[in-house]
Amino acid sequence: MKTIIRDQAKIIRSEFAATCDKNAGIEQVIKNLKTILPNEQKIIGGYYPFGDEFNVLPVMEFIEKNNFICSLPCLTHDSLELVFRKWSAGDMLRKTIYGLHQPINST
């Protein structure tokens, strides 16, 4: 049942994404971030967009340019434990068995 619901949600998301401007909202997100980012350096986690997911890479790049450390979720080799590893725009990524992209050589 869960797989059927997930597949139906993916279809709905794909149909919706086809009607949207993929860059819409980026400027608003960045504008809002300017008002809430802390003064001291922090590590901020994001994600590398997959399929029809919202492309947060411009937001992550903005965060990095403002001297914050960006990180992406990664699966460890030993388990399905999710960890976050440092990421910068332009870093090499590897594709996992699930089709997700994660940093190669970062801790």
Side-chain angles (χ1 to χ4, degrees):
M1 184 67 157
K2 184 177 177 181
T3 302
I4 293 170
I5 293 170
R6 182 180 291 131
D7 290 343
Q8 289 172 344
K10 286 180 183 178
I11 290 169
I12 292 168
R13 184 173 71 189
S14 292
E15 290 172 351
F16 178 74
T19 66
C20 294
D21 175 3
K22 296 236 183 230
N23 294 318
I26 294 290
E27 296 84 13
Q28 188 62 44
V29 169
I30 290 172
K31 180 181 175 184
N32 291 341
L33 272 176
K34 289 178 181 178
T35 66
I36 64 169
L37 285 175
N39 292 329
E40 68 275 359
Q41 185 183 32
K42 297 283 184 182
I43 299 171
I44 299 178
Y47 63 90
Y48 197 90
F50 181 75
D52 295 321
E53 290 178 337
F54 181 72
N55 182 6
V56 297
L57 295 180
V59 176
M60 297 290 286
E61 291 170 7
F62 167 81
I63 289 168
E64 183 180 31
K65 287 178 185 172
N66 283 272
N67 300 317
F68 289 85
I69 298 170
C70 295
S71 62
L72 295 178
C74 302
L75 294 174
T76 63
H77 295 290
D78 300 336
S79 70
L80 293 179
E81 180 183 5
L82 191 63
V83 296
F84 281 80
R85 293 191 178 141
K86 185 179 181 216
W87 172 83
S88 293
D91 283 356
M92 296 291 296
L93 300 173
R94 73 175 181 88
K95 199 171 189 177
T96 68
I97 60 172
Y98 301 106
L100 305 174
H101 293 85
Q102 64 185 42
I104 295 175
N105 295 321
S106 187
T107 57

